[in-house]
Amino acid sequence: LNDGPSHYKITLTGTVKSPKINFDPPFLMLMPVPLDVTTKATFSIIPRGYLRQSQIQVEIPDLELEDGARIYPFSLQFPDGKDIVLLSDGTNKQLICHINFRSATPMSFLGNIFFIDEEEN
């Protein structure tokens, strides 16, 4: 301005929001059933803050029996897929998950199943 040197100082501030997922319901209790009968439950995975598409991966625990054998009594299905999608209104589409448990051996289990995105969150 007026042929003189101009110096401008711009200060930017912001916050970083990490993507998160919530569950509805927040925990599950599967009903006891007779041996070799499947018990099932359905829950929603609610992604928040994902600005680009990602995909959910699942870590399902194996269980060790008293004799040392390992079994995999849990199975999960995602009827609409495992992709986290950003909708036009800026929110993320919920995912539906069906969990099944079946065992030929009497057991109980209290633990975690881990849901991980592509960034390993």
Side-chain angles (χ1 to χ4, degrees), residues 35-47:
L35 296 179
D36 259 345
V37 173
T38 301
T39 183
K40 304 175 182 183
T42 298
F43 60 94
S44 297
I45 299 172
I46 306 163

Side-chain angles (χ1 to χ4, degrees), residues 78-97:
F78 293 84
D80 300 325
K82 297 190 281 185
D83 291 334
I84 297 174
V85 177
L86 182 64
L87 299 174
S88 61
D89 65 359
T91 63
N92 297 117
K93 181 181 175 185
Q94 291 188 21
L95 304 173
I96 301 297
C97 183

